[in-house]
Amino acid sequence: MSDSNATTWHILGAGSLGSLWAVRLARAGVPVRLILRTPQRLAAYRRAGGLSLVEQGQARRYSLDAETAAAPAPIRRLLLACKAYDAEDAVASLAPRLAGGAEVILLQNGLGSQDAVAARVPQARCILASSTEGAFRDGAWRVVFAGHGHTWLGDPLDLAAPAWLADLQRAGIAHDWSLDILARLWRKLALNCAINPLTVLYDCRNGGLLQHPAEVATLCGELAELLRCCGQPDAASALHDEVQRVIQATAANYSSMHQDVALGRRTEIAYLLGHACATARRHRLLLPHLEALHQRLLRHLAERGLPRH
Ligand code: NAD
Ligand code: KPL
């Protein structure tokens, strides 16, 4: 049962993470409304009878309320659960509905999309998130909860933790309020830049990078230089050690970027390696190996007909 006085969580994007959050919040009695892309998608969702979440091999269907961006009701709390490249347009479509003082929680990986979103909705408080949870879609309106993880949330402009973290607690969403969320996002970006592009170019699992130790080490050196240059010394500290640990621990997995390319899906390159290289150029910092990696990856994507941004 949901508490009728509680603030509704509007969740844009019934994809992997959006569905995972929506189902867990709704199960905990928190009011949730999905925002779907078009009236056709809304009709298809209603025909399907809701969202299915697969946990430990068992699928269960949840009939959550849903609407499109064109619905009239004001939005006080929005979870933006789309890809980084869709975030700015998605929030722009909801800007007229966002009440003054509304909160927007941004689940996007990488960096760059968060600033673009914040500029579109100056009336709202934007809360940044970085998550190690894993989920994927294995059918229409069906999401598999693949890996338990943790989500860090924070607001670089206001360090006060919001009271609604209690909703996440009730929903069993493992989280912490971070006083330095930008450091977390930069660190994750650096890990992704050191691992994901090489797995695409060598067409290998993460463990395949154990065959390329010098290349990984050189990239980590340049990424650490970049992090220090943009005021993130904590995110730079022992980066190479952590990259090696992640490669070992996830040796059997394909990186998310490898999976995207293998499935012919658009990648988030512009918010990962693209953002790193653009930031280096802005600081007039020469990072030749990172730049060469970016150019190789852009060529690789273009050859496969995938967007370069
Ligand atoms: P996804 O592609 O599974 O889901 C995104 C959904 O957003 C799609 O259903 C898409 O149709 C929808 N969408 C896009 N624009 C929309 C709009 N204007 N209106 C309504 N719906 C819209 O993506 P995901 O895997 O959930 O990833 C979301 C973000 O979370 C990404 O930045 C990703 O890197 C990050 N992330 C994902 C995982 C994971 O395991 N899936 C883990 C950590 C971080
Ligand atoms: O986050 C990752 C990804 O695949 O996107 C890891 C496993 C850390 C590899 O960079």
Side-chain angles (χ1 to χ4, degrees):
M1 278 295 282
S2 71
D3 167 0
S4 55
N5 292 320
T7 300
T8 296
W9 284 69
H10 282 86
I11 298 188
L12 180 136
S16 309
L17 280 197
S19 301
L20 191 55
W21 279 61
V23 163
R24 288 178 297 176
L25 286 165
R27 280 195 308 219
V30 175
V32 162
R33 289 186 78 78
L34 299 171
I35 300 178
L36 304 179
R37 224 192 251 269
T38 58
Q40 292 75 10
R41 296 270 299 153
L42 183 57
Y45 169 79
R46 290 191 172 135
R47 277 196 304 276
L51 280 177
S52 294
L53 182 68
V54 183
E55 293 171 285
Q56 285 139 16
Q58 299 288 322
R60 225 187 117 187
R61 195 160 68 199
Y62 301 86
S63 303
L64 309 179
D65 291 338
E67 63 192 35
T68 65
I75 295 176
R76 299 204 163 70
R77 187 166 305 138
L78 172 67
L79 179 71
L80 202 61
C82 56
K83 298 282 193 183
Y85 48 75
D86 282 328
E88 186 180 357
D89 284 352
V91 89
S93 72
L94 294 173
R97 292 178 60 190
L98 280 171
E103 290 156 308
V104 183
I105 298 115
L106 304 175
L107 276 184
Q108 287 64 46
N109 199 14
L111 280 162
S113 68
Q114 299 87 348
D115 285 346
V117 166
R120 288 283 187 162
V121 286
Q123 74 274 35
R125 179 186 189 192
C126 287
I127 287 161
L128 283 45
S130 177
S131 180
T132 62
E133 291 196 308
F136 63 88
R137 286 180 281 174
D138 78 340
W141 313 110
R142 197 178 136 103
V143 168
V144 180
F145 191 177
H148 288 264
H150 202 87
T151 302
W152 286 268
L153 303 120
D155 175 358
L157 303 177
D158 177 355
L159 299 183
W164 49 256
L165 293 181
D167 286 354
L168 306 193
Q169 195 68 35
R170 275 161 61 200
I173 299 174
H175 68 281
D176 271 306
W177 182 249
S178 169
L179 297 180
D180 197 354
I181 190 68
L182 285 177
R184 288 220 166 256
L185 283 161
W186 270 112
R187 178 70 161 202
K188 175 99 190 305
L189 179 147
L191 282 168
N192 286 167
C193 287
I195 297 173
N196 299 9
L198 287 178
T199 64
V200 172
L201 293 170
Y202 288 120
D203 189 14
C204 66
R205 296 173 197 266
N206 293 352
L209 300 188
L210 295 169
Q211 309 303 316
H212 305 279
E215 213 170 342
V216 172
T218 305
L219 288 176
C220 288
E222 290 192 356
L223 285 161
E225 212 181 321
L226 172 65
L227 294 176
R228 285 190 293 270
C229 180
C230 42
Q232 296 292 341
D234 291 350
S237 156
L239 176 64
H240 186 218
D241 292 344
E242 191 176 354
V243 166
Q244 287 176 299
R245 268 202 307 280
V246 170
I247 288 174
Q248 299 269 4
T250 63
N253 301 350
Y254 284 108
S255 74
S256 54
M257 190 180 276
H258 186 286
Q259 293 176 41
D260 284 341
V261 174
L263 292 169
R265 287 194 306 228
R266 184 173 175 181
T267 68
E268 294 183 299
I269 178 177
Y271 304 89
L272 298 167
L273 195 49
H275 185 81
C277 289
T279 307
R281 281 196 294 276
R282 224 177 27 252
H283 286 278
R284 298 185 190 288
L285 182 65
L286 284 180
L287 301 175
H289 295 87
L290 206 64
E291 187 56 45
L293 181 70
H294 188 212
Q295 295 308 322
R296 279 167 68 200
L297 187 60
L298 288 175
R299 274 198 303 278
H300 186 94
L301 296 177
E303 282 161 16
R304 279 151 190 80
L306 291 172
R308 294 160 52 91
H309 53 85

